[in-house]
Amino acid sequence: MGSLQEPSALTARLQNTLMSYHSLDENEWRVAKKSKDVTVWRKSSEEFHGYLYKAQGMVDDNPNRIVDYIRPGPYRLDWDSLMTAMDIIETLDQGCCVMRYTTAGQLWNIIAPREFIDFSYTTDYQDGLLSCGISVEHEEQHQSYVRGFNHPCGWFCVPTPDSTTTAAQSLLTGWSC
């Protein structure tokens, strides 16, 4: 988990991790699922036991509007049906915050509801945006939830070369564990 004692060090580490994922050679990935609009790849993680996933697709909008639906804020609850609540616990800097969110139980609560405390960071990236996060330590835990953990994850959203102000289109690429 990350430490909030040095937010600037955490943002640098998180951004560097996502940039390293973004620069991985295409030959390291295996297609896990492909549809008309989205492709999902996976590769064994070098950081933990499991897989790192990469998803990519084109979205008809500009990066700022797209990332508004990904980063902490009111739009996230509109589309994420697993998320039951989201609160910003602390705003640290421009584009940085600590958030608490909960997810519903699954399979008749065989998988218990989860509570996540994540550091979230959004910054400019190649005429678009990078929005990323990682779980951090937090003393308070609600008894009705199991504390979840997120490894470094995030989304790059950049306008396509042929995107215009009247017909905006962006490439959205995300990583999760």
Side-chain angles (χ1 to χ4, degrees), residues 10 25 53 55 62 70 74-76 92 101 130 147 161-162:
L10 185 56
D25 188 83
Y53 291 90
N62 69 60
I70 296 170
Y75 297 120
R76 180 72 184 266
L92 301 168
Y101 67 93
L130 163 62
R147 179 62 57 91
D162 54 340

Side-chain angles (χ1 to χ4, degrees), residues 95-115:
C96 298
C97 70
V98 177
M99 61 184 273
R100 173 188 178 270
Y101 67 93
T102 57
T103 59
Q106 300 295 306
L107 297 170
W108 304 281
N109 274 348
I110 293 171
I111 300 172
R114 302 281 194 252
E115 171 189 58

Side-chain angles (χ1 to χ4, degrees), residues 33-93:
K33 185 168 186 162
K34 189 171 186 160
S35 71
K36 177 183 167 204
D37 300 318
V38 177
T39 302
V40 177
W41 295 268
R42 73 177 194 173
K43 73 178 279 315
S44 293
S45 173
E46 296 173 7
E47 299 170 39
F48 58 90
H49 182 68
Y51 290 100
L52 177 63
Y53 291 90
K54 172 184 172 182
Q56 189 171 65
M58 301 299 282
V59 181
D60 291 330
D61 213 335
N62 69 60
N64 285 313
R65 285 206 16 99
I66 295 165
V67 172
D68 279 344
Y69 284 86
I70 296 170
R71 64 178 149 206
Y75 297 120
R76 180 72 184 266
L77 292 171
D78 288 346
W79 67 267
D80 193 338
S81 62
L82 293 179
M83 194 176 283
T84 57
M86 179 177 46
D87 302 302
I88 295 176
I89 297 172
E90 184 179 0
T91 301
L92 301 168
D93 258 338

Side-chain angles (χ1 to χ4, degrees), residues 83-147:
M83 194 176 283
T84 57
M86 179 177 46
D87 302 302
I88 295 176
I89 297 172
E90 184 179 0
T91 301
L92 301 168
D93 258 338
Q94 183 176 350
C96 298
C97 70
V98 177
M99 61 184 273
R100 173 188 178 270
Y101 67 93
T102 57
T103 59
Q106 300 295 306
L107 297 170
W108 304 281
N109 274 348
I110 293 171
I111 300 172
R114 302 281 194 252
E115 171 189 58
F116 295 86
I117 306 294
D118 285 359
F119 172 79
S120 178
Y121 173 58
T122 301
T123 188
D124 293 333
Y125 175 78
Q126 292 184 359
D127 296 326
L129 294 167
L130 163 62
S131 186
C132 49
I134 187 172
S135 286
V136 292
E137 296 286 342
H138 192 265
E139 63 282 348
E140 184 183 331
Q141 182 173 348
H142 292 76
Q143 295 299 319
S144 54
Y145 296 97
V146 172
R147 179 62 57 91

